[in-house]
Amino acid sequence: MAAPFPFSSNNLRSLPSSCFVTPSPAAPIFFIHHHHQWQLLKQFKKQRLLPLCAASSSYEVGGGFSGDFHTSPSGRNPGNPKPKWDTSQYEALLKGGEQVVSVLNEMAKLRKSLLEVIKETVLSHLTRKCPPHVQVVGLLCRTPQKESRYELLRRVAAGGGVFQGEKGTKVHLPGANLNDIANQADDLLETMESRPVVPDRKLLARLVLIREEARSMMGGGILDERNDRGLNTLPESEVNFLTKLVALKPGKTVQEMIKNVMEGKDEGADGSNGGAENTADAGVSSGIAGRTSVTGRKPLPVRPGMFLETVSKVLGGIYAGNISGITAQHLEWVHQKTLNILQEIAF
């Protein structure tokens, strides 16, 4: 049996014309049947080829090829190398970064200065509603120069009044008592120094200066009974530190020790485990000269206000006993150097 003749359009075109004869009465059915198959074949090819052609135009292999794909002369794909920057471009980038950082720093300084102005304005409005000695303490905290503070204290002690400022502005100074001013500053710094951590070293230094300067203008000086804080025992940390200072010769080393402590370093460093409220480690704390603590609690670090208070008490005891000598001179030197250091810290 002969192989079946493949039916396709090419085969139809290749048939000789003699094959297309007039059909017999039974032929139309055969021809119509094969003509219908030919139409279906054309429609099938059209439906299958069009999607294949469309897909082939956008088909990508291994990530695909871009429209601007080029090959090297050797036929290899050079890829898409990143553009190389020259030195000038790097320098321009670094310069732009430095300019951005500089602008941010200037903005930070400007915001800080604005906050300081707002703070001073709010404080000035609040102090106007306070008692006279409280207002004076606020004014003294905003007076950097030592001579200006002394002049302000003298005018306040004389009854106050309206005075002309440096730039022609009028300043109203209330009348207040020097003892009230010193006690107000002492109460504020005592509250700050009784905490385990000093919140503001600058403000603390200013309050100590105000207290000491107001006391120095009072008639009795160190021995004035109005300066008595009512301490039955001297603080342990301050006494131990003062003992170290007295054992050394006055000079640069002692001055550096005082400065570190006033800035909150060494014996004056704040400790998270310190404070009068903490009694957990009271057994390991030491008192004066290494002995057991009198209070049974771990002592606070050396504080500026309490340190000068201790120096004044020791000096007062020396002068009251008429045994002044080298030790008294040494303590006077320590007292003065401490005030100078606090002036640098405060303003």
Side-chain angles (χ1 to χ4, degrees), residues 192-238:
M192 295 179 67
E193 291 186 340
S194 61
R195 299 180 180 179
V197 178
V198 176
D200 191 341
R201 289 274 172 183
K202 282 184 174 293
L203 178 59
L204 180 62
R206 294 177 185 181
L207 291 173
V208 175
L209 290 174
I210 293 170
R211 184 192 69 180
E212 297 298 319
E213 291 168 358
R215 285 180 175 179
S216 67
M217 294 189 68
M218 296 165 62
I222 294 178
L223 298 178
D224 196 322
E225 59 182 10
R226 293 174 294 179
N227 296 334
D228 187 8
R229 207 180 199 188
L231 298 175
N232 296 324
T233 57
L234 294 177
E236 300 166 4
S237 300
E238 282 74 9

mmCIF file of all heavy atoms in Angstrom, residues 192-238:
data_model
loop_
_atom_site.group_PDB
_atom_site.id
_atom_site.type_symbol
_atom_site.label_atom_id
_atom_site.label_comp_id
_atom_site.label_asym_id
_atom_site.label_seq_id
_atom_site.Cartn_x
_atom_site.Cartn_y
_atom_site.Cartn_z
ATOM 1 N N MET A 192 21.147 71.728 94.485
ATOM 2 C CA MET A 192 21.824 71.120 93.344
ATOM 3 C C MET A 192 22.914 70.151 93.772
ATOM 4 O O MET A 192 23.078 69.070 93.174
ATOM 5 C CB MET A 192 22.422 72.221 92.454
ATOM 6 C CG MET A 192 21.397 73.135 91.800
ATOM 7 S SD MET A 192 22.179 74.421 90.788
ATOM 8 C CE MET A 192 22.878 73.419 89.483
ATOM 9 N N GLU A 193 23.655 70.502 94.797
ATOM 10 C CA GLU A 193 24.785 69.673 95.213
ATOM 11 C C GLU A 193 24.355 68.428 95.990
ATOM 12 O O GLU A 193 25.138 67.493 96.135
ATOM 13 C CB GLU A 193 25.754 70.500 96.063
ATOM 14 C CG GLU A 193 26.490 71.562 95.283
ATOM 15 C CD GLU A 193 27.538 72.277 96.102
ATOM 16 O OE1 GLU A 193 27.446 72.228 97.348
ATOM 17 O OE2 GLU A 193 28.444 72.881 95.514
ATOM 18 N N SER A 194 23.147 68.395 96.479
ATOM 19 C CA SER A 194 22.683 67.224 97.222
ATOM 20 C C SER A 194 22.247 66.097 96.295
ATOM 21 O O SER A 194 21.950 64.997 96.761
ATOM 22 C CB SER A 194 21.520 67.615 98.136
ATOM 23 O OG SER A 194 20.421 68.100 97.381
ATOM 24 N N ARG A 195 22.219 66.348 95.006
ATOM 25 C CA ARG A 195 21.839 65.309 94.050
ATOM 26 C C ARG A 195 23.046 64.462 93.665
ATOM 27 O O ARG A 195 24.181 64.927 93.712
ATOM 28 C CB ARG A 195 21.239 65.943 92.785
ATOM 29 C CG ARG A 195 19.981 66.767 93.047
ATOM 30 C CD ARG A 195 19.467 67.361 91.756
ATOM 31 N NE ARG A 195 18.257 68.154 91.960
ATOM 32 C CZ ARG A 195 17.610 68.803 90.998
ATOM 33 N NH1 ARG A 195 18.067 68.744 89.743
ATOM 34 N NH2 ARG A 195 16.530 69.492 91.256
ATOM 35 N N PRO A 196 22.804 63.210 93.260
ATOM 36 C CA PRO A 196 23.925 62.364 92.832
ATOM 37 C C PRO A 196 24.646 62.913 91.604
ATOM 38 O O PRO A 196 25.845 62.714 91.442
ATOM 39 C CB PRO A 196 23.255 61.020 92.516
ATOM 40 C CG PRO A 196 21.971 61.031 93.280
ATOM 41 C CD PRO A 196 21.531 62.456 93.329
ATOM 42 N N VAL A 197 23.928 63.609 90.744
ATOM 43 C CA VAL A 197 24.512 64.182 89.526
ATOM 44 C C VAL A 197 24.161 65.667 89.471
ATOM 45 O O VAL A 197 22.989 66.043 89.637
ATOM 46 C CB VAL A 197 23.980 63.472 88.263
ATOM 47 C CG1 VAL A 197 24.564 64.108 87.007
ATOM 48 C CG2 VAL A 197 24.315 61.981 88.303
ATOM 49 N N VAL A 198 25.161 66.503 89.248
ATOM 50 C CA VAL A 198 24.930 67.943 89.134
ATOM 51 C C VAL A 198 24.333 68.238 87.763
ATOM 52 O O VAL A 198 24.944 67.924 86.733
ATOM 53 C CB VAL A 198 26.246 68.727 89.322
ATOM 54 C CG1 VAL A 198 26.016 70.217 89.095
ATOM 55 C CG2 VAL A 198 26.804 68.490 90.716
ATOM 56 N N PRO A 199 23.144 68.836 87.683
ATOM 57 C CA PRO A 199 22.505 69.048 86.390
ATOM 58 C C PRO A 199 23.159 70.123 85.532
ATOM 59 O O PRO A 199 23.127 70.036 84.306
ATOM 60 C CB PRO A 199 21.071 69.438 86.765
ATOM 61 C CG PRO A 199 21.173 69.992 88.144
ATOM 62 C CD PRO A 199 22.288 69.265 88.808
ATOM 63 N N ASP A 200 23.742 71.146 86.149
ATOM 64 C CA ASP A 200 24.302 72.261 85.384
ATOM 65 C C ASP A 200 25.511 72.811 86.132
ATOM 66 O O ASP A 200 25.368 73.500 87.146
ATOM 67 C CB ASP A 200 23.243 73.349 85.188
ATOM 68 C CG ASP A 200 23.674 74.401 84.175
ATOM 69 O OD1 ASP A 200 24.894 74.496 83.898
ATOM 70 O OD2 ASP A 200 22.812 75.129 83.663
ATOM 71 N N ARG A 201 26.700 72.499 85.631
ATOM 72 C CA ARG A 201 27.927 72.951 86.304
ATOM 73 C C ARG A 201 28.120 74.461 86.201
ATOM 74 O O ARG A 201 28.635 75.095 87.123
ATOM 75 C CB ARG A 201 29.131 72.244 85.677
ATOM 76 C CG ARG A 201 29.226 70.770 86.019
ATOM 77 C CD ARG A 201 29.958 70.569 87.316
ATOM 78 N NE ARG A 201 29.899 69.180 87.776
ATOM 79 C CZ ARG A 201 30.416 68.765 88.909
ATOM 80 N NH1 ARG A 201 31.019 69.617 89.709
ATOM 81 N NH2 ARG A 201 30.314 67.495 89.258
ATOM 82 N N LYS A 202 27.723 75.041 85.087
ATOM 83 C CA LYS A 202 27.877 76.486 84.926
ATOM 84 C C LYS A 202 27.004 77.238 85.929
ATOM 85 O O LYS A 202 27.457 78.184 86.586
ATOM 86 C CB LYS A 202 27.521 76.884 83.488
ATOM 87 C CG LYS A 202 28.596 76.591 82.461
ATOM 88 C CD LYS A 202 28.166 77.115 81.101
ATOM 89 C CE LYS A 202 29.286 76.954 80.084
ATOM 90 N NZ LYS A 202 30.427 77.817 80.396
ATOM 91 N N LEU A 203 25.753 76.853 86.022
ATOM 92 C CA LEU A 203 24.846 77.511 86.956
ATOM 93 C C LEU A 203 25.309 77.320 88.396
ATOM 94 O O LEU A 203 25.245 78.245 89.214
ATOM 95 C CB LEU A 203 23.426 76.977 86.779
ATOM 96 C CG LEU A 203 22.360 77.528 87.716
ATOM 97 C CD1 LEU A 203 22.254 79.046 87.578
ATOM 98 C CD2 LEU A 203 21.007 76.869 87.455
ATOM 99 N N LEU A 204 25.804 76.128 88.702
ATOM 100 C CA LEU A 204 26.303 75.867 90.047
ATOM 101 C C LEU A 204 27.479 76.779 90.380
ATOM 102 O O LEU A 204 27.553 77.345 91.476
ATOM 103 C CB LEU A 204 26.720 74.399 90.170
ATOM 104 C CG LEU A 204 27.270 73.957 91.524
ATOM 105 C CD1 LEU A 204 26.223 74.127 92.614
ATOM 106 C CD2 LEU A 204 27.773 72.526 91.466
ATOM 107 N N ALA A 205 28.403 76.938 89.423
ATOM 108 C CA ALA A 205 29.557 77.817 89.651
ATOM 109 C C ALA A 205 29.111 79.267 89.842
ATOM 110 O O ALA A 205 29.659 79.992 90.689
ATOM 111 C CB ALA A 205 30.524 77.708 88.472
ATOM 112 N N ARG A 206 28.101 79.711 89.101
ATOM 113 C CA ARG A 206 27.612 81.084 89.256
ATOM 114 C C ARG A 206 26.994 81.300 90.639
ATOM 115 O O ARG A 206 27.217 82.349 91.274
ATOM 116 C CB ARG A 206 26.579 81.385 88.166
ATOM 117 C CG ARG A 206 27.163 81.403 86.758
ATOM 118 C CD ARG A 206 26.097 81.623 85.707
ATOM 119 N NE ARG A 206 26.647 81.520 84.366
ATOM 120 C CZ ARG A 206 25.947 81.686 83.242
ATOM 121 N NH1 ARG A 206 24.655 81.980 83.325
ATOM 122 N NH2 ARG A 206 26.522 81.567 82.067
ATOM 123 N N LEU A 207 26.236 80.334 91.094
ATOM 124 C CA LEU A 207 25.611 80.465 92.413
ATOM 125 C C LEU A 207 26.656 80.494 93.530
ATOM 126 O O LEU A 207 26.507 81.242 94.510
ATOM 127 C CB LEU A 207 24.638 79.308 92.641
ATOM 128 C CG LEU A 207 23.373 79.317 91.763
ATOM 129 C CD1 LEU A 207 22.578 78.032 91.958
ATOM 130 C CD2 LEU A 207 22.502 80.537 92.066
ATOM 131 N N VAL A 208 27.711 79.690 93.389
ATOM 132 C CA VAL A 208 28.779 79.710 94.392
ATOM 133 C C VAL A 208 29.456 81.072 94.424
ATOM 134 O O VAL A 208 29.732 81.640 95.493
ATOM 135 C CB VAL A 208 29.801 78.593 94.113
ATOM 136 C CG1 VAL A 208 30.970 78.686 95.086
ATOM 137 C CG2 VAL A 208 29.143 77.224 94.222
ATOM 138 N N LEU A 209 29.723 81.644 93.247
ATOM 139 C CA LEU A 209 30.346 82.969 93.177
ATOM 140 C C LEU A 209 29.460 84.032 93.822
ATOM 141 O O LEU A 209 29.944 84.902 94.558
ATOM 142 C CB LEU A 209 30.639 83.334 91.724
ATOM 143 C CG LEU A 209 31.747 82.541 91.022
ATOM 144 C CD1 LEU A 209 31.817 82.918 89.547
ATOM 145 C CD2 LEU A 209 33.094 82.792 91.685
ATOM 146 N N ILE A 210 28.155 83.964 93.536
ATOM 147 C CA ILE A 210 27.231 84.953 94.108
ATOM 148 C C ILE A 210 27.214 84.850 95.628
ATOM 149 O O ILE A 210 27.254 85.866 96.345
ATOM 150 C CB ILE A 210 25.822 84.753 93.518
ATOM 151 C CG1 ILE A 210 25.820 85.100 92.019
ATOM 152 C CG2 ILE A 210 24.800 85.607 94.254
ATOM 153 C CD1 ILE A 210 24.540 84.709 91.310
ATOM 154 N N ARG A 211 27.163 83.654 96.142
ATOM 155 C CA ARG A 211 27.159 83.479 97.593
ATOM 156 C C ARG A 211 28.429 84.024 98.228
ATOM 157 O O ARG A 211 28.390 84.766 99.233
ATOM 158 C CB ARG A 211 27.006 82.002 97.941
ATOM 159 C CG ARG A 211 26.897 81.731 99.435
ATOM 160 C CD ARG A 211 27.046 80.252 99.745
ATOM 161 N NE ARG A 211 28.411 79.780 99.507
ATOM 162 C CZ ARG A 211 28.806 78.525 99.698
ATOM 163 N NH1 ARG A 211 27.926 77.614 100.102
ATOM 164 N NH2 ARG A 211 30.060 78.168 99.479
ATOM 165 N N GLU A 212 29.569 83.668 97.657
ATOM 166 C CA GLU A 212 30.845 84.101 98.231
ATOM 167 C C GLU A 212 31.029 85.610 98.114
ATOM 168 O O GLU A 212 31.540 86.258 99.045
ATOM 169 C CB GLU A 212 31.994 83.375 97.540
ATOM 170 C CG GLU A 212 31.980 81.868 97.736
ATOM 171 C CD GLU A 212 32.116 81.481 99.194
ATOM 172 O OE1 GLU A 212 32.926 82.102 99.912
ATOM 173 O OE2 GLU A 212 31.411 80.549 99.633
ATOM 174 N N GLU A 213 30.617 86.198 96.993
ATOM 175 C CA GLU A 213 30.782 87.644 96.813
ATOM 176 C C GLU A 213 29.838 88.431 97.717
ATOM 177 O O GLU A 213 30.207 89.488 98.240
ATOM 178 C CB GLU A 213 30.562 87.998 95.345
ATOM 179 C CG GLU A 213 31.674 87.482 94.427
ATOM 180 C CD GLU A 213 31.321 87.582 92.957
ATOM 181 O OE1 GLU A 213 30.191 88.014 92.636
ATOM 182 O OE2 GLU A 213 32.170 87.214 92.118
ATOM 183 N N ALA A 214 28.615 87.929 97.886
ATOM 184 C CA ALA A 214 27.689 88.604 98.798
ATOM 185 C C ALA A 214 28.178 88.511 100.244
ATOM 186 O O ALA A 214 28.068 89.474 101.016
ATOM 187 C CB ALA A 214 26.296 87.992 98.665
ATOM 188 N N ARG A 215 28.716 87.377 100.627
ATOM 189 C CA ARG A 215 29.239 87.231 101.990
ATOM 190 C C ARG A 215 30.460 88.116 102.223
ATOM 191 O O ARG A 215 30.654 88.659 103.317
ATOM 192 C CB ARG A 215 29.613 85.763 102.239
ATOM 193 C CG ARG A 215 28.422 84.840 102.459
ATOM 194 C CD ARG A 215 28.866 83.416 102.696
ATOM 195 N NE ARG A 215 27.752 82.525 103.020
ATOM 196 C CZ ARG A 215 27.894 81.225 103.260
ATOM 197 N NH1 ARG A 215 29.099 80.657 103.182
ATOM 198 N NH2 ARG A 215 26.840 80.490 103.562
ATOM 199 N N SER A 216 31.298 88.235 101.178
ATOM 200 C CA SER A 216 32.512 89.040 101.352
ATOM 201 C C SER A 216 32.209 90.515 101.563
ATOM 202 O O SER A 216 33.023 91.251 102.139
ATOM 203 C CB SER A 216 33.432 88.867 100.141
ATOM 204 O OG SER A 216 32.854 89.430 98.977
ATOM 205 N N MET A 217 31.037 90.973 101.087
ATOM 206 C CA MET A 217 30.653 92.362 101.267
ATOM 207 C C MET A 217 29.998 92.619 102.625
ATOM 208 O O MET A 217 29.784 93.771 103.008
ATOM 209 C CB MET A 217 29.695 92.803 100.148
ATOM 210 C CG MET A 217 30.337 92.816 98.767
ATOM 211 S SD MET A 217 29.271 93.574 97.530
ATOM 212 C CE MET A 217 29.271 95.271 98.071
ATOM 213 N N MET A 218 29.684 91.579 103.347
ATOM 214 C CA MET A 218 29.103 91.733 104.677
ATOM 215 C C MET A 218 30.209 92.038 105.691
ATOM 216 O O MET A 218 31.351 91.599 105.541
ATOM 217 C CB MET A 218 28.341 90.464 105.070
ATOM 218 C CG MET A 218 27.137 90.195 104.160
ATOM 219 S SD MET A 218 26.453 88.528 104.297
ATOM 220 C CE MET A 218 25.936 88.504 105.992
ATOM 221 N N GLY A 219 29.867 92.773 106.726
ATOM 222 C CA GLY A 219 30.876 93.286 107.654
ATOM 223 C C GLY A 219 31.710 92.242 108.356
ATOM 224 O O GLY A 219 32.917 92.405 108.536
ATOM 225 N N GLY A 220 31.117 91.118 108.762
ATOM 226 C CA GLY A 220 31.839 90.155 109.562
ATOM 227 C C GLY A 220 32.800 89.256 108.810
ATOM 228 O O GLY A 220 33.671 88.639 109.418
ATOM 229 N N GLY A 221 32.646 89.157 107.489
ATOM 230 C CA GLY A 221 33.521 88.295 106.711
ATOM 231 C C GLY A 221 33.323 86.827 107.040
ATOM 232 O O GLY A 221 32.200 86.354 107.264
ATOM 233 N N ILE A 222 34.447 86.081 107.140
ATOM 234 C CA ILE A 222 34.367 84.646 107.403
ATOM 235 C C ILE A 222 33.783 84.359 108.774
ATOM 236 O O ILE A 222 33.028 83.405 108.965
ATOM 237 C CB ILE A 222 35.772 84.013 107.254
ATOM 238 C CG1 ILE A 222 36.231 84.092 105.796
ATOM 239 C CG2 ILE A 222 35.758 82.556 107.706
ATOM 240 C CD1 ILE A 222 37.609 83.533 105.567
ATOM 241 N N LEU A 223 34.117 85.186 109.775
ATOM 242 C CA LEU A 223 33.656 84.946 111.139
ATOM 243 C C LEU A 223 32.258 85.489 111.406
ATOM 244 O O LEU A 223 31.777 85.412 112.537
ATOM 245 C CB LEU A 223 34.645 85.579 112.133
ATOM 246 C CG LEU A 223 36.070 85.007 112.103
ATOM 247 C CD1 LEU A 223 36.948 85.746 113.096
ATOM 248 C CD2 LEU A 223 36.055 83.513 112.396
ATOM 249 N N ASP A 224 31.610 86.059 110.377
ATOM 250 C CA ASP A 224 30.267 86.591 110.567
ATOM 251 C C ASP A 224 29.318 85.442 110.902
ATOM 252 O O ASP A 224 29.233 84.440 110.178
ATOM 253 C CB ASP A 224 29.804 87.302 109.292
ATOM 254 C CG ASP A 224 28.595 88.194 109.544
ATOM 255 O OD1 ASP A 224 27.722 87.787 110.341
ATOM 256 O OD2 ASP A 224 28.535 89.275 108.958
ATOM 257 N N GLU A 225 28.614 85.577 111.993
ATOM 258 C CA GLU A 225 27.714 84.516 112.444
ATOM 259 C C GLU A 225 26.556 84.295 111.476
ATOM 260 O O GLU A 225 25.922 83.236 111.477
ATOM 261 C CB GLU A 225 27.153 84.852 113.825
ATOM 262 C CG GLU A 225 26.384 86.154 113.877
ATOM 263 C CD GLU A 225 25.879 86.482 115.273
ATOM 264 O OE1 GLU A 225 26.284 85.793 116.223
ATOM 265 O OE2 GLU A 225 25.090 87.434 115.397
ATOM 266 N N ARG A 226 26.277 85.284 110.622
ATOM 267 C CA ARG A 226 25.211 85.116 109.652
ATOM 268 C C ARG A 226 25.580 84.140 108.545
ATOM 269 O O ARG A 226 24.718 83.654 107.806
ATOM 270 C CB ARG A 226 24.864 86.476 109.024
ATOM 271 C CG ARG A 226 24.231 87.449 110.005
ATOM 272 C CD ARG A 226 24.048 88.818 109.386
ATOM 273 N NE ARG A 226 25.326 89.453 109.101
ATOM 274 C CZ ARG A 226 25.455 90.666 108.532
ATOM 275 N NH1 ARG A 226 24.369 91.349 108.201
ATOM 276 N NH2 ARG A 226 26.638 91.187 108.318
ATOM 277 N N ASN A 227 26.884 83.853 108.425
ATOM 278 C CA ASN A 227 27.335 82.894 107.419
ATOM 279 C C ASN A 227 27.318 81.458 107.933
ATOM 280 O O ASN A 227 27.720 80.537 107.215
ATOM 281 C CB ASN A 227 28.755 83.234 106.959
ATOM 282 C CG ASN A 227 28.812 84.579 106.247
ATOM 283 O OD1 ASN A 227 27.812 85.024 105.684
ATOM 284 N ND2 ASN A 227 29.967 85.219 106.291
ATOM 285 N N ASP A 228 26.876 81.259 109.161
ATOM 286 C CA ASP A 228 26.865 79.921 109.746
ATOM 287 C C ASP A 228 25.762 79.090 109.091
ATOM 288 O O ASP A 228 24.583 79.454 109.136
ATOM 289 C CB ASP A 228 26.632 80.000 111.262
ATOM 290 C CG ASP A 228 26.794 78.649 111.935
ATOM 291 O OD1 ASP A 228 27.233 77.693 111.250
ATOM 292 O OD2 ASP A 228 26.484 78.550 113.128
ATOM 293 N N ARG A 229 26.160 77.995 108.481
ATOM 294 C CA ARG A 229 25.206 77.135 107.793
ATOM 295 C C ARG A 229 24.580 76.117 108.741
ATOM 296 O O ARG A 229 23.673 75.381 108.363
ATOM 297 C CB ARG A 229 25.923 76.405 106.648
ATOM 298 C CG ARG A 229 25.012 76.021 105.492
ATOM 299 C CD ARG A 229 25.804 75.304 104.433
ATOM 300 N NE ARG A 229 25.133 75.295 103.146
ATOM 301 C CZ ARG A 229 25.560 74.605 102.103
ATOM 302 N NH1 ARG A 229 26.650 73.877 102.194
ATOM 303 N NH2 ARG A 229 24.914 74.645 100.952
ATOM 304 N N GLY A 230 25.082 76.043 109.957
ATOM 305 C CA GLY A 230 24.534 75.100 110.915
ATOM 306 C C GLY A 230 25.069 73.700 110.772
ATOM 307 O O GLY A 230 24.388 72.731 111.146
ATOM 308 N N LEU A 231 26.281 73.544 110.223
ATOM 309 C CA LEU A 231 26.876 72.219 110.058
ATOM 310 C C LEU A 231 27.495 71.765 111.374
ATOM 311 O O LEU A 231 28.351 72.442 111.940
ATOM 312 C CB LEU A 231 27.947 72.244 108.959
ATOM 313 C CG LEU A 231 27.464 72.602 107.535
ATOM 314 C CD1 LEU A 231 28.647 72.702 106.600
ATOM 315 C CD2 LEU A 231 26.458 71.590 107.034
ATOM 316 N N ASN A 232 27.056 70.601 111.862
ATOM 317 C CA ASN A 232 27.641 70.043 113.077
ATOM 318 C C ASN A 232 28.952 69.317 112.793
ATOM 319 O O ASN A 232 29.869 69.316 113.617
ATOM 320 C CB ASN A 232 26.648 69.094 113.747
ATOM 321 C CG ASN A 232 25.393 69.805 114.218
ATOM 322 O OD1 ASN A 232 25.468 70.952 114.665
ATOM 323 N ND2 ASN A 232 24.254 69.144 114.114
ATOM 324 N N THR A 233 29.020 68.656 111.626
ATOM 325 C CA THR A 233 30.241 67.964 111.198
ATOM 326 C C THR A 233 30.579 68.388 109.781
ATOM 327 O O THR A 233 29.685 68.659 108.965
ATOM 328 C CB THR A 233 30.043 66.440 111.227
ATOM 329 O OG1 THR A 233 28.940 66.080 110.391
ATOM 330 C CG2 THR A 233 29.796 65.952 112.645
ATOM 331 N N LEU A 234 31.858 68.429 109.477
ATOM 332 C CA LEU A 234 32.298 68.803 108.130
ATOM 333 C C LEU A 234 32.119 67.611 107.187
ATOM 334 O O LEU A 234 32.264 66.454 107.600
ATOM 335 C CB LEU A 234 33.763 69.235 108.163
ATOM 336 C CG LEU A 234 34.050 70.523 108.945
ATOM 337 C CD1 LEU A 234 35.548 70.809 108.970
ATOM 338 C CD2 LEU A 234 33.298 71.699 108.353
ATOM 339 N N PRO A 235 31.800 67.879 105.923
ATOM 340 C CA PRO A 235 31.582 66.788 104.966
ATOM 341 C C PRO A 235 32.857 65.979 104.730
ATOM 342 O O PRO A 235 33.955 66.532 104.644
ATOM 343 C CB PRO A 235 31.130 67.516 103.698
ATOM 344 C CG PRO A 235 31.636 68.907 103.847
ATOM 345 C CD PRO A 235 31.627 69.206 105.312
ATOM 346 N N GLU A 236 32.708 64.672 104.610
ATOM 347 C CA GLU A 236 33.847 63.773 104.546
ATOM 348 C C GLU A 236 34.663 63.944 103.266
ATOM 349 O O GLU A 236 35.898 64.013 103.300
ATOM 350 C CB GLU A 236 33.347 62.335 104.674
ATOM 351 C CG GLU A 236 32.608 62.063 105.969
ATOM 352 C CD GLU A 236 31.846 60.754 105.930
ATOM 353 O OE1 GLU A 236 31.975 60.045 104.903
ATOM 354 O OE2 GLU A 236 31.150 60.438 106.891
ATOM 355 N N SER A 237 33.989 63.972 102.123
ATOM 356 C CA SER A 237 34.710 64.059 100.842
ATOM 357 C C SER A 237 35.519 65.343 100.754
ATOM 358 O O SER A 237 36.677 65.342 100.302
ATOM 359 C CB SER A 237 33.716 63.975 99.680
ATOM 360 O OG SER A 237 33.005 62.759 99.705
ATOM 361 N N GLU A 238 34.914 66.455 101.167
ATOM 362 C CA GLU A 238 35.604 67.743 101.095
ATOM 363 C C GLU A 238 36.792 67.801 102.062
ATOM 364 O O GLU A 238 37.848 68.345 101.723
ATOM 365 C CB GLU A 238 34.618 68.873 101.400
ATOM 366 C CG GLU A 238 33.693 69.242 100.247
ATOM 367 C CD GLU A 238 32.601 68.210 100.004
ATOM 368 O OE1 GLU A 238 32.455 67.292 100.826
ATOM 369 O OE2 GLU A 238 31.888 68.314 98.986
#
